[in-house]
């Protein structure tokens, strides 16, 4: 799919991977709508790229529907959807003071898993109503954000590991279901990246994780995630798969 002139929605586009993706797609000529709970930051990025900022809690049915509608009215139906919205709140299931609050588990499930599914179902409905593109015959592509934590299962983050594994698990069946609409589905599983989620990590943990990365021995740049989004969008044979982007890191 050619990106120039296409409408795109990016959740979590006010910072980190989402902001880098919004900037990259806009730089390639896409009309980008940023969906984010942080409207002020989203508006800053949108103003920079000439896009649209929409306040949206991706885990809310009403918010999601209103946000996709606003994006559609501004740019037309999105043929590119990239879900980057997420939170990172590591917590042991059983800590020194007892079991973790169930609300912590529920919040991560709602933001990551429910939120991703919510935006996918809405974006897919818009894509299915579009005419197939003349160059590839496809109607659109959904790209979701998993994590290598979903494969490697580091301790102390059971819920985060589980929701990221679930996002990867949704990829193939979702691609199979949407194939009759000529909609592709892919997921990206980042390793350690320089995002706001990483700012709260202890320096000794950052040093330890960097040392474990085979090559390059550094955290990823969000622009590298965005470049992979471009590759997925422009490569029609990429479908139903989760791609790790982690420098060969395997978490323990």
């Amino acid at each position: 799919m050619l990106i120039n002139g296409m409408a795109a929605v990016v959740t979590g586009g006010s910072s980190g991977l989402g902001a880098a993706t919004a900037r990259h797609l806009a730089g390639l000529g896409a009309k980008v709508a940023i969906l984010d709970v942080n409207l002020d930051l989203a508006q800053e990025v949108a103003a920079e790229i000439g896009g649209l900022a929409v306040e949206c809690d991706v885990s809310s049915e009403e918010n999601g529907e209103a946000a996709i509608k606003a994006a559609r009215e501004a740019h037309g139906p999105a043929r590119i959807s990239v879900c980057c919205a997420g939170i990172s709140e590591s917590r042991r299931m059983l800590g020194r003071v007892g079991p973790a609050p169930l609300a912590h588990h529920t919040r991560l499930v709602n933001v990551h898993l429910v939120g991703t599914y919510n935006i996918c179902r809405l974006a897919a409905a818009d894509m299915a109503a579009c005419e197939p593109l003349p160059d590839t015959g496809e109607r659109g592509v959904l790209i979701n954000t998993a994590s290598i934590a979903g494969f490697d299962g580091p301790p102390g983050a059971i819920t985060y590991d589980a929701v990221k594994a679930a996002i990867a698990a949704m990829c193939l069946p979702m691609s199979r279901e949407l194939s009759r609409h000529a909609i592709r589905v892919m997921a990206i599983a980042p390793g350690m990246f320089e995002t706001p989620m990483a700012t709260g990590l202890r320096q000794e943990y950052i040093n330890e994780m960097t040392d474990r990365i085979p090559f390059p021995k550094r955290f990823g740049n969000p622009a590298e995630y965005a470049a992979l989004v471009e590759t997925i969008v422009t490569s029609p044979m990429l479908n139903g798969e989760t791609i790790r982007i982690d420098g060969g890191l395997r978490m323990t």
Side-chain angles (χ1 to χ4, degrees):
M1 182 194 304
L2 298 176
I3 294 174
N4 186 38
M6 295 299 173
V9 294
V10 180
T11 72
S14 71
S15 63
L17 303 179
T21 299
R23 292 187 178 102
H24 192 76
L25 291 175
L28 295 170
K31 298 173 288 185
V32 181
I34 296 170
L35 280 52
D36 204 292
V37 291
N38 192 327
L39 183 59
D40 290 340
L41 281 180
Q43 287 175 331
E44 289 180 15
V45 178
E48 174 190 335
I49 66 175
L52 172 73
V54 185
E55 186 173 9
C56 178
D57 172 0
V58 294
S59 67
S60 163
E61 183 174 6
E62 296 77 13
N63 273 206
E65 290 175 353
I68 293 296
K69 179 181 179 182
R72 183 194 316 122
E73 291 176 346
H75 298 152
R79 293 196 187 255
I80 303 167
S81 170
V82 187
C83 286
C84 295
I87 53 177
S88 180
E89 296 179 359
S90 297
R91 186 189 295 261
R92 291 188 178 276
M93 183 180 71
L94 185 58
R96 295 177 180 175
V97 296
L102 185 59
H104 168 261
H105 175 85
T106 303
R107 182 165 183 246
L108 264 68
V109 170
N110 284 339
V111 172
H112 288 275
L113 185 55
V114 175
T116 296
Y117 180 86
N118 188 29
I119 298 303
C120 282
R121 72 183 182 92
L122 298 170
D126 271 6
M127 293 175 189
C130 294
E131 290 297 318
L133 293 169
D135 57 334
T136 62
E138 62 189 317
R139 288 187 169 90
V141 57
L142 306 172
I143 303 174
N144 300 321
T145 305
S147 169
I148 65 169
F151 297 97
D152 298 349
I158 293 174
T159 300
Y160 185 80
D161 300 347
V163 293
K164 290 304 187 179
I167 289 171
M170 286 197 302
C171 187
L172 182 58
M174 192 181 292
S175 71
R176 287 171 168 167
E177 181 173 325
L178 296 179
S179 63
R180 65 191 182 98
H181 299 291
I183 297 170
R184 293 187 289 122
V185 183
M186 289 288 292
I188 300 174
M192 305 303 295
F193 270 70
E194 295 175 352
T195 68
M197 285 188 181
T199 57
L201 298 176
R202 302 187 312 275
Q203 187 59 48
E204 56 266 32
Y205 181 78
I206 292 175
N207 295 341
E208 178 186 351
M209 295 308 296
T210 302
D211 187 60
R212 290 181 181 176
I213 300 171
F215 184 84
K217 283 192 171 297
R218 59 171 175 81
F219 278 25
N221 188 312
E224 293 170 308
Y225 174 99
L228 182 52
V229 169
E230 177 189 355
T231 298
I232 291 171
V233 173
T234 57
S235 304
M237 283 298 288
L238 290 177
N239 191 19
E241 186 57 87
T242 300
I243 301 175
R244 294 179 67 127
I245 177 170
D246 55 18
L249 173 65
R250 295 298 180 267
M251 305 178 78
T252 59

